[in-house]
């Protein structure tokens, strides 16, 4: 994935620009995109991608999540 595109996506989610995405920032940004995820499900998703266990999503962790989403989308397109 293009690092510039990843950086732009990350900045959209990192509302306060501190280099990490909190659960609240993640939830808010998803809701702005029309994606509503239950609080428990969001916590589980962040736990899975929070490799270093700091309860935040950094750009590398976000990149892995984004790549997974894109790969899933590509597979769905191939099926169609």
């Amino acid at each position: 994935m293009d690092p510039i595109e990843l950086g732009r996506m990350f900045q959209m989610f990192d509302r306060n620009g501190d280099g990490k995405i909190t659960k609240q920032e993640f939830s808010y940004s998803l809701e702005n995109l029309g994606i509503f995820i239950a609080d428990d499900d969001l916590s589980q998703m962040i736990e899975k991608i929070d490799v270093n266990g700091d309860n935040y999503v950094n750009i590398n962790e976000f990149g892995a999540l984004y790549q997974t989403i894109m790969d899933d989308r590509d597979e769905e397109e191939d099926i169609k």
Side-chain angles (χ1 to χ4, degrees), residues 19-62:
K20 52 190 178 185
I21 302 170
T22 65
K23 187 171 96 171
Q24 289 76 21
E25 287 174 321
F26 211 71
S27 178
Y28 180 80
S29 297
L30 289 173
E31 285 177 11
N32 279 345
L33 295 170
I35 302 168
F36 297 91
I37 298 178
D39 203 46
D40 288 347
D41 293 340
L42 186 60
S43 294
Q44 287 177 357
M45 183 170 42
I46 290 174
E47 266 180 46
K48 285 180 187 171
I49 61 174
D50 180 22
V51 177
N52 65 7
D54 65 358
N55 292 320
Y56 298 102
V57 177
N58 65 33
I59 193 161
N60 294 328
E61 294 163 343
F62 183 80

